[in-house]
Amino acid sequence: MSNQDFVTQASSSNMFEIAAGNLALHNSTNANVKAFGNHMVTDHGQAATEMATLAAKKGWTVPTAMATKEQNNYNTLAGLSGTAFDKQFAMMMITSHQETIALFQNAAGNSGVPDADLRNFASGKLPTLKEHLTDSQTLQTQVSNE
C-alpha cells in the first residue's frame, strides 16, 4: 500500500466517523448513542488534524470528501432517527472500526506503508480504534434492547 493510498483511505474513514458522530448528536434521543457520537467527533477530529499535519509535511493530499462507500453509509444514517438510527449507527460503527483497524494494522506492519512516520501514526492509533470497536459493540447491545 502506498503512503497516499493509506492517507486517502484513513481520511475517508475519519470523515465518516466524524460525520456519523455529528448525526448521532442530532438524530438520536439515546444518551449512550449521543455520548458515543460525541466521542467519535472528538477522537477522530484529533486524528484528522494529526493526519493533515503529517500529510502537509510529507506532501501527501488529504481528501476533502468521503469515498463512495462512506458517503453511502452516511446517506443511509442521515435518513434515520430514533431507535432505527441508533441500531444502524451502532452496526455501522462496528463495521467501520473493524475495517479501519484492519487498514491501520496493515499500514503499521512490516510490509505496510513505506514511510516510517506514517507507520508510527497508524500504530499509535490502533489502541484507540480497538477501544472504539469494543465501545461500539457495547453500544449495539444497549440499543438492541430499545
Side-chain angles (χ1 to χ4, degrees):
M1 168 184 318
S2 76
N3 295 321
Q4 183 60 61
D5 286 346
F6 175 75
V7 170
T8 300
Q9 290 177 39
S11 295
S12 182
S13 175
N14 242 349
M15 282 186 264
F16 172 69
E17 301 290 348
I18 294 165
N22 278 317
L23 281 177
L25 297 173
H26 300 286
N27 292 22
S28 179
T29 56
N30 182 307
N32 292 325
V33 172
K34 286 179 176 277
F36 187 81
N38 189 55
H39 197 57
M40 293 301 94
V41 171
T42 301
D43 285 1
H44 287 278
Q46 179 184 352
T49 300
E50 291 173 26
M51 173 71 83
T53 301
L54 181 59
K57 188 169 84 171
K58 301 282 187 163
W60 303 317
T61 303
V62 175
T64 56
M66 287 180 257
T68 302
K69 181 178 81 172
E70 284 85 5
Q71 185 63 55
N72 289 342
N73 285 343
Y74 174 82
N75 293 346
T76 297
L77 281 177
L80 301 173
S81 62
T83 58
F85 174 87
D86 296 346
K87 291 174 182 180
Q88 187 69 32
F89 174 75
M91 186 197 71
M92 283 186 176
M93 288 297 99
I94 291 170
T95 302
S96 180
H97 281 94
Q98 288 170 334
E99 291 170 356
T100 302
I101 288 167
L103 174 68
F104 276 62
Q105 283 175 329
N106 184 14
N110 291 334
S111 60
V113 294
D115 187 83
D117 292 334
L118 199 54
R119 278 195 310 273
N120 288 337
F121 171 83
S123 178
K125 295 297 172 202
L126 280 168
T128 301
L129 290 169
K130 289 176 181 176
E131 176 186 313
H132 290 172
L133 175 59
T134 301
D135 291 348
S136 62
Q137 291 165 330
T138 300
L139 184 66
Q140 185 181 44
T141 300
Q142 292 167 341
V143 300
S144 68
N145 297 323
E146 286 185 348

